[in-house]
Amino acid sequence: MTHPDPVSAREAGATDPDGARVFIIEDDGDIRDLLCDTLRTYRFAPVAFATAEAALSELAADPPAAVILDLGLPDMDGMDAINRIRARGPVPILVLSARAHASDRIMGLEFGADDYVVKPFDPREIVARVRSLLRRASPAPAAGVRDAGDRVARFAGWRFEPESHRLLAPDGEESFLSTGEAAILTALLRAPKRVLSRDHLLEHGGRDDTLDRAIDVRISRIRKKLTRPDEPPLIRTVYGSGYMLTAQVTWSDG
Ligand code: CA
């Protein structure tokens, strides 16, 4: 699986960062400085933190456009940090890891990161990945919201808001999906009781490379969030064909 190189991402008309605030949570000062300098060069507004705790309090006060998170932080387990950031809102998370194993890559996505980069990395690749995350997180394509009547989906007692990626369970429990998960769930909710091929789901996510390699991981994460004891599964796998949402869906403006 390849990733767009920084130059082609730029030529493809990637969104101008326009001073977008990006949190860098990394305890290694050299890497932190390198990322800050590079992001600034590409007209982002980086805000650096050496600990997860410091970033989490600032995250609540003034949420950034994206978060770059080192998985090996001194004060908090990386997966715990992802969960705590995710619990506060739909901000895209790019994870940095020193470990190159494919299973770690999938694990990062399983825990709700939006993308994953292994150290050592070319900082320009980070720029390309952050741009891609911001593009997907921008309301129009990622949320799939077409008009005011399209803002909230209700199904089997659940409620999902594509713009904020917010999912409310019948018992009131709130969770936030990653950008990739939200794109897939929105596609399923747009076409309930129909089998959607993996190709259709990829198309909906903009044929994004990140989505491509992770579609099954993301379906399984959405399933976990959508599961309640004693209830039949809402997303069915149709072998050889794709996936289907089994519930009736109503879309409305609130
Ligand atoms: Ca570290």
Side-chain angles (χ1 to χ4, degrees):
M1 206 61 71
T2 58
H3 291 286
D5 69 65
V7 175
S8 65
R10 199 156 55 237
E11 282 167 354
T15 3
D16 188 334
D18 199 22
R21 286 172 88 235
V22 176
F23 280 13
I24 298 163
I25 314 173
E26 165 65 83
D27 59 310
D28 182 320
D30 290 341
I31 296 178
R32 209 166 54 226
D33 291 347
L34 177 66
L35 284 174
C36 270
D37 290 348
T38 310
L39 285 171
R40 226 174 262 125
T41 302
Y42 286 87
R43 290 189 287 140
F44 290 91
V47 187
F49 303 90
T51 64
E53 282 298 351
L56 280 165
S57 33
E58 177 69 15
L59 193 83
D62 190 1
V67 173
I68 299 172
L69 172 73
D70 173 34
L71 277 191
L73 290 168
D75 67 324
M76 196 179 293
D77 172 70
M79 298 310 168
D80 197 23
I82 293 176
N83 287 333
R84 290 184 58 185
I85 294 167
R86 181 63 69 217
R88 277 155 214 250
V91 61
I93 303 170
L94 171 65
V95 151
L96 307 176
S97 172
R99 300 171 296 185
H101 301 297
S103 58
D104 287 337
R105 176 179 293 251
I106 292 301
M107 194 167 74
L109 299 173
E110 265 171 5
F111 279 86
D114 292 281
D115 203 355
Y116 193 100
V117 172
V118 172
K119 296 175 183 174
F121 50 78
D122 177 343
R124 289 170 306 170
E125 181 173 10
I126 302 284
V127 170
R129 301 286 191 98
V130 170
R131 278 187 169 137
S132 160
L133 289 179
L134 293 182
R135 205 160 48 234
R136 279 190 289 137
S138 65
V145 172
R146 290 187 289 244
D147 60 51
D150 260 359
R151 292 215 175 99
V152 175
R154 287 188 178 78
F155 56 103
W158 294 78
R159 173 189 168 103
F160 181 62
E161 301 161 11
E163 275 169 301
S164 61
H165 305 179
R166 180 170 173 258
L167 181 67
L168 263 188
D171 59 16
E173 191 189 331
E174 179 186 57
S175 57
F176 289 93
L177 305 194
S178 74
T179 308
E181 293 160 23
I184 291 171
L185 180 57
T186 302
L188 288 165
L189 289 167
R190 291 246 173 267
K193 304 191 176 187
R194 268 172 48 200
V195 179
L196 299 187
S197 65
R198 299 175 92 258
D199 271 354
H200 178 98
L201 294 172
L202 292 172
E203 205 62 63
H204 185 87
R207 285 237 162 250
D208 178 84
D209 169 46
T210 307
L211 194 58
D212 188 303
R213 71 173 186 242
I215 195 154
D216 298 317
V217 171
R218 282 175 173 150
I219 287 275
S220 100
R221 278 184 53 83
I222 296 169
R223 275 201 175 116
K224 273 183 213 152
K225 286 177 182 165
L226 275 181
T227 298
R228 283 292 179 272
D230 308 324
E231 277 179 29
L234 291 172
I235 298 175
R236 188 185 298 164
T237 303
V238 182
Y239 290 98
S241 302
Y243 297 98
M244 181 171 79
L245 185 92
T246 56
Q248 198 105 36
V249 180
T250 313
W251 286 89
S252 68
D253 61 0

